[in-house]
Amino acid sequence: MTIAFAQRERLGEAQGPIPGTTLFDGDAAAKGYALNAMCYSFNDKANREAFRADEDGYCARFHLTPTQREAVRSRNVLAMIAAGGNIYYLAKLAGIFGLSVQDVGAQQTGMSLDAFKQMLLDSGKD
Amino acid sequence: MARIIGGYFTSHVPSIGGAIVRGDQQTPYWKPFFDGYPPVREWLAEEKPDVAVCFYNDHGLNFFLDKMPTFAVGAAEVYHNEDEGWGLPVFKSFEGHPALSWHIIEQLVNDEFDITTCQSMLVDHALSIPFELVYPDAPAWPVKLVPIAINTVQFPLPSARRCLALGQAVHRGLESWQGDERIVVIGTGGLSHQLDGERAGFINPDYDRFCMDSLANDPEALVADTTKEIVRKSGSQGVEILNWIAARGALGEGGFREKTRNYHVPISNTAAATMVLEPA
């Protein structure tokens, strides 16, 4: 079964972009460096508190681009990704906003939280 | 002479740590996932490994994007966890096994893997959660750790074939190690999931089953795809299967059989899987 499946998968291998997916590559890493560096700083509780106390000042300290600043201001995860954010780092920022990965998923897919969770549950049904 | 008892493979979703802290293991949402672990615990209690060689990926605790090694091998006396940004309770530290780490490093570089070596290294939930799941009541981890981090975060990622080869080189190192330790090989992460983008929530049980079915005796089937195609089939973070592939390589050639397998969708945004392979 496994070899046949593998061959079928290979023969059917689609090329080109993956829908709804941004590969975090060198371009994205370069573009998003300031934003991801800020998010990395949130491993430290004192930094999370400093961000909460003065969001503008904290973002300025990390030299976010205007586009990154606006994405953070609007809590818009897709805009953060478009600005070079990496989801593992953005997850630390989302935590400050009280957003779980399901909240983040719902926001990006334009679904309600319940609908997003239901979609995940349905993925497991045969 | 050292003996490899087998391989333990598991997902490492951060929210598992939250469920453990809250004591949610028997709730309807979590039970089908946690039910996968008693057989692993029994196996470990029987086999009593004293060293774990663990392939995982760091999520922005030890490595930031300023320096991102493709492959990094820990050679520290001790490995600590720290706050990963959510203020969750910090996981227990691990005792290292620097002599074995350096032996593996010698083997890898001799085999032309130009790795990064780390004498100081924080380890995140990707390492701690697999141990929390199988040693739930241990006051301290009963195994010494050799951690091997693979970049699954920033493209270009190492190819699946290269990760398998890395694991095979680690296996050669374990084979020539003169100690008498009992070694468990661990691969963490996956299976299919995607946290980012309009495709967030993507899960692919068919591909996950293909991976689980191939792992024991047909790992070559797992390395045919490019990492980009793995992302297409498995999701942006499903590419953590690279850690499983490297761990499978470290088990060595020869037949393996599945001691146990559990697969449950979803845990958080992830298709969660647990497997143990032992020599056939």
Side-chain angles (χ1 to χ4, degrees):
Chain A
M1 180 262 181
T2 59
I3 291 169
F5 189 97
Q7 285 176 345
R8 183 155 49 84
E9 289 291 293
R10 272 201 300 279
L11 292 171
E13 179 175 291
Q15 298 298 325
I18 304 167
T21 304
T22 304
L23 291 184
F24 186 75
D25 61 5
D27 288 342
K31 192 176 180 182
Y33 195 85
L35 175 58
N36 292 318
M38 183 178 83
C39 293
Y40 178 62
S41 78
F42 296 141
N43 284 347
D44 189 329
K45 188 181 179 196
N47 290 336
R48 299 197 291 273
E49 284 168 2
F51 176 88
R52 281 196 190 96
D54 176 14
E55 185 172 324
D56 269 330
Y58 201 84
C59 289
R61 229 176 89 191
F62 280 85
H63 307 291
L64 264 57
T65 66
T67 310
Q68 289 169 346
R69 179 69 194 98
E70 185 48 38
V72 172
R73 192 192 320 277
S74 59
R75 301 350 188 196
N76 184 330
V77 176
L78 288 176
M80 293 179 208
I81 291 168
N86 175 278
I87 196 69
Y88 288 135
Y89 293 92
L90 297 180
K92 302 173 196 288
L93 175 61
I96 295 178
F97 299 151
L99 301 174
S100 73
V101 289
Q102 273 94 41
D103 293 315
V104 169
Q107 186 197 99
Q108 294 175 101
T109 54
M111 302 169 88
S112 71
L113 180 59
D114 284 345
F116 185 75
K117 285 182 170 174
Q118 190 60 48
M119 178 183 79
L120 290 165
L121 289 169
D122 292 343
S123 298
K125 291 176 186 156
D126 289 328
Chain B
M1 192 185 141
R3 178 163 171 267
I4 299 172
I5 63 158
Y8 158 43
F9 302 81
T10 180
S11 303
H12 64 217
V13 185
S15 63
I16 298 167
I20 291 171
V21 168
R22 293 189 305 272
D24 279 352
Q25 291 92 331
Q26 295 304 311
T27 59
Y29 184 84
W30 286 100
K31 187 175 189 309
F33 169 74
F34 279 97
D35 279 353
Y37 291 89
V40 188
R41 291 174 201 152
E42 286 160 24
W43 178 68
L44 291 169
E46 204 170 293
E47 294 289 341
K48 296 186 178 54
D50 23 46
V51 177
V53 176
C54 187
F55 297 84
Y56 75 109
N57 60 292
D58 180 83
H59 300 69
L61 179 65
N62 189 69
F63 298 115
F64 178 55
L65 303 169
D66 58 339
K67 303 172 193 72
M68 177 52 74
T70 298
F71 299 126
V73 182
E77 296 277 356
V78 63
Y79 303 92
H80 299 297
N81 178 234
E82 277 184 6
D83 189 342
E84 296 180 40
W86 307 297
L88 294 172
V90 169
F91 294 110
K92 290 191 278 290
S93 298
F94 290 86
E95 184 183 350
H97 192 327
L100 178 56
S101 287
W102 284 111
H103 177 78
I104 290 171
I105 289 163
E106 289 280 352
Q107 179 75 49
L108 288 173
V109 175
N110 186 63
D111 287 350
E112 301 183 337
F113 285 89
D114 304 320
I115 51 167
T116 298
T117 58
C118 303
Q119 290 202 71
S120 172
M121 192 182 197
L122 296 171
V123 294
D124 72 4
H125 65 271
L127 250 166
S128 296
I129 282 176
F131 290 85
E132 292 284 346
L133 286 165
V134 295
Y135 296 113
D137 304 317
W141 303 131
V143 292
K144 294 179 179 178
L145 179 69
V146 176
I148 303 177
I150 297 179
N151 168 28
T152 67
V153 174
Q154 176 182 281
F155 277 76
L157 309 182
S159 71
R161 187 169 296 284
R162 188 66 172 157
C163 291
L164 183 64
L166 174 85
Q168 289 164 340
V170 169
H171 179 78
R172 288 189 286 278
L174 297 177
E175 271 193 323
S176 63
W177 174 246
Q178 293 301 305
D180 58 2
E181 291 91 340
R182 297 170 65 78
I183 299 166
V184 60
V185 173
I186 302 178
T188 90
L191 291 179
S192 63
H193 65 300
Q194 176 154 339
L195 303 177
D196 50 325
E198 294 88 344
R199 202 174 71 140
F202 174 81
I203 282 174
N204 185 352
D206 287 340
Y207 182 71
D208 291 339
R209 286 198 190 91
F210 161 71
C211 291
M212 290 185 288
D213 290 346
S214 303
L215 192 66
N217 293 313
D218 192 14
E220 282 288 324
L222 301 177
V223 304
D225 285 321
T226 64
T227 50
K228 182 179 171 187
E229 288 311 308
I230 293 175
V231 167
R232 188 189 305 279
K233 292 173 183 174
S234 191
S236 307
Q237 287 74 41
V239 77
E240 291 170 345
I241 188 75
L242 293 176
N243 303 324
W244 286 45
I245 292 169
R248 174 61 189 83
L251 289 178
E253 315 240 333
F256 284 84
R257 67 182 190 87
E258 285 184 31
K259 179 83 173 172
T260 182
R261 179 201 289 204
N262 188 47
Y263 181 69
H264 176 67
V265 179
I267 286 305
S268 187
N269 287 21
T270 302
T274 314
M275 288 181 74
V276 167
L277 300 184
E278 60 177 11

